């Protein structure tokens, strides 16, 4: 494949680096790669496959005339990312996704520890403490874990700040795009499996709650703790592997990243503004219902409901904005 990539680079070297030319080059690479793989599967040697592929795609002049490409168009002023920048962006995105995933898991674990402490006090495992004191003690690990999580979120954000220039637009060389596309194709199977595992954990987690509820009411509280633990693992999987998937999509400019960065940033700003209101409100309701009304055994459901409602809003808003484009 490197021979084909070098062939294309040499073929297009003398042409202006316009958006039309770059698009034609990328389409040719995809078609030539498909044909090359097809010939290899038929038993052709590498040299035979490359020779047939190059000979079948005609001259560059014919392709320019066929696609009616304007050679006088203004060249693209977008920055071309080098290999080091691309690799740094991918690795930093993975680290950022890992930190965010762990941070979210710590927040959920804090709620689980709070419920555990309350249950230990109410069940008499820890003697000499009133329910209110048990609640206050349970809040300590919750706030500590949330504080650590917030620190992780901030650090993860600062790690990605140095790549903000990419929001203004960028280009990839033909070889880089081919390499990233192959990496993305290989990652698709891992991503699909991770999503399946995460969804299965979310679906199976209520079984623990139902089983413990059938035993007795006190045991059901421990079921909630196990449920939250399974959800924390699922959320980590969604965040970490979702971040990697988002990274490849941004580099390859597919799906939502095919739209202009200005429109996408406006969309993200609206969703972020709603999130800054909805989630703190959910936390306030959680704390009030627990500290004042002692509903720790059931108020954990506030967060899954908030998550579902917010996900519905984000999805509907994104779809509506895409329809306007």
């Amino acid at each position: 494949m490197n021979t084909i990539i070098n062939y294309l680079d040499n073929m297009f070297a003398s042409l202006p680096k316009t958006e039309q030319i770059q698009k034609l080059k990328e389409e040719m690479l995809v078609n030539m790669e498909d044909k090359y793989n097809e010939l290899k599967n038929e038993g052709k040697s590498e040299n035979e496959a490359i020779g047939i592929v190059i000979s079948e795609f005609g001259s560059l002049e014919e392709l320019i005339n066929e696609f009616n490409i304007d050679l006088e168009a203004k060249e693209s002023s977008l920055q071309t990312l080098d290999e080091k920048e691309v690799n740094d962006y991918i690795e930093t995105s993975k680290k950022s996704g890992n930190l965010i995933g762990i941070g979210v898991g710590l927040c959920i674990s804090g709620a689980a520890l709070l419920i555990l402490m309350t249950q230990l006090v109410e069940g008499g495992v820890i003697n000499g403490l009133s329910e209110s004191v048990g609640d206050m003690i349970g809040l300590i690990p919750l706030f500590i874990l949330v504080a650590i999580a917030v620190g992780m979120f901030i650090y993860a954000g600062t790690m990605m700040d140095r790549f903000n220039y990419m929001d203004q637009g960028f280009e990839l060389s033909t070889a880089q795009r081919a390499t990233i596309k192959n990496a993305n194709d290989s990652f698709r199977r891992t991503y699909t499996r991770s999503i399946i595992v995460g969804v299965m954990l979310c679906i199976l987690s209520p079984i623990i709650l139902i089983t413990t509820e059938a035993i007795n009411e006190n045991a059901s509280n421990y079921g909630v703790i196990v449920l939250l633990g399974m959800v924390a693992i699922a959320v980590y999987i969604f965040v970490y592997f979702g971040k990697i998937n988002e990274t490849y999509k941004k580099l390859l400019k597919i799906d939502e990243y095919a739209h202009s960065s200005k429109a996408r940033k406006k969309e993200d700003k609206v969703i972020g503004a709603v999130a800054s209101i909805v989630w703190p409100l959910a936390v306030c309701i959680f704390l009030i219902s627990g500290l004042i009304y002692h509903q720790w055994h059931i108020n954990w459901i506030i967060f899954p409901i908030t998550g579902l409602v917010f996900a519905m809003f984000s999805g509907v808003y994104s779809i509506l904005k895409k329809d306007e484009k």
Side-chain angles (χ1 to χ4, degrees):
M1 278 302 300
N2 288 334
T3 303
I4 294 176
I5 293 173
N6 292 334
Y7 170 77
L8 282 177
D9 286 340
N10 292 330
M11 180 186 292
F12 282 83
S14 61
L15 297 179
K17 294 179 175 58
T18 65
E19 186 176 347
Q20 271 189 312
I21 294 292
Q22 184 64 25
K23 186 175 180 181
L24 173 61
K25 186 178 179 181
E26 291 172 359
E27 288 178 354
M28 284 187 66
L29 177 61
V30 171
N31 292 332
M32 294 174 86
E33 184 179 17
D34 290 342
K35 183 64 177 180
Y36 171 82
N37 292 328
E38 179 184 332
L39 291 170
K40 289 285 290 181
N41 291 334
E42 292 176 358
K44 301 289 185 183
S45 68
E46 182 173 354
N47 290 333
E48 288 178 322
I50 291 174
I52 295 173
V53 167
I54 292 176
S55 64
E56 283 191 359
F57 276 83
S59 67
L60 185 58
E61 290 76 13
E62 292 174 349
L63 291 170
I64 290 174
N65 292 330
E66 180 181 348
F67 289 93
N68 194 28
I69 291 177
D70 182 12
L71 296 179
E72 302 298 325
K74 184 179 179 181
E75 289 195 13
S76 173
S77 59
L78 298 179
Q79 177 180 347
T80 300
L81 303 182
D82 59 36
E83 185 177 355
K84 184 179 183 303
E85 287 177 299
V86 171
N87 291 335
D88 283 349
Y89 177 67
I90 293 174
E91 290 304 314
T92 305
S93 292
K94 289 180 179 179
K95 292 177 182 177
S96 174
N98 187 48
L99 287 173
I100 294 173
I102 293 175
V104 175
L106 288 177
C107 292
I108 298 174
S109 299
L113 287 175
L114 175 58
I115 295 172
L116 176 61
M117 178 59 69
T118 303
Q119 177 59 28
L120 292 176
V121 172
E122 291 180 355
V125 178
I126 299 178
N127 296 317
L129 296 178
S130 64
E131 287 187 12
S132 59
V133 174
D135 292 345
M136 296 303 296
I137 294 176
L139 286 173
I140 294 174
L142 171 62
F143 285 133
I144 291 175
L145 291 178
V146 169
I148 295 173
V150 171
M152 287 182 168
F153 297 151
I154 294 173
Y155 183 62
T158 57
M159 288 174 63
M160 299 303 298
D161 282 347
R162 62 192 179 98
F163 298 103
N164 285 343
Y165 66 90
M166 292 174 61
D167 292 335
Q168 306 302 319
F170 60 88
E171 296 288 354
L172 297 174
S173 68
T174 306
Q176 286 176 328
R177 187 172 182 82
T179 301
I180 296 170
K181 182 179 181 301
N182 290 333
N184 183 48
D185 291 341
S186 300
F187 172 71
R188 296 306 301 173
R189 181 176 296 179
T190 301
Y191 179 66
T192 301
R193 288 175 178 172
S194 67
I195 296 301
I196 291 173
V197 171
V199 170
M200 288 178 63
L201 285 172
C202 291
I203 294 174
L204 294 175
S205 59
I207 294 178
I208 304 296
L209 182 60
I210 295 171
T211 302
T212 53
E213 180 72 29
I215 298 174
N216 60 61
E217 184 177 345
N218 290 331
S220 67
N221 290 332
Y222 294 107
V224 170
I225 296 169
V226 176
L227 180 149
L228 291 176
M230 295 175 69
V231 170
I233 296 172
V235 170
Y236 172 81
I237 291 173
F238 292 145
V239 172
Y240 177 69
F241 289 97
K243 183 67 173 178
I244 298 175
N245 183 56
E246 177 186 319
T247 299
Y248 284 129
K249 289 200 295 184
K250 182 171 183 177
L251 288 171
L252 296 173
K253 298 181 181 179
I254 55 180
D255 293 344
E256 66 267 29
Y257 290 97
H259 305 304
S260 67
S261 59
K262 183 177 180 180
R264 188 173 61 254
K265 287 174 73 174
K266 182 179 179 181
E267 179 180 317
D268 292 342
K269 187 176 181 180
V270 172
I271 294 176
V274 174
S276 66
I277 297 173
V278 170
W279 286 107
L281 181 61
V283 172
C284 289
I285 295 173
F286 174 75
L287 294 176
I288 291 172
S289 63
L291 293 173
I292 298 178
Y293 300 101
H294 301 287
Q295 298 297 314
W296 300 115
H297 65 288
I298 190 63
N299 68 349
W300 58 270
I301 203 171
I302 291 171
F303 295 110
I305 291 175
T306 302
L308 288 172
V309 172
F310 182 71
M312 290 170 59
F313 163 78
S314 300
V316 171
Y317 181 80
S318 297
I319 291 173
L320 291 176
K321 296 302 292 183
K322 286 179 182 179
D323 289 343
E324 292 177 6
K325 294 172 182 176

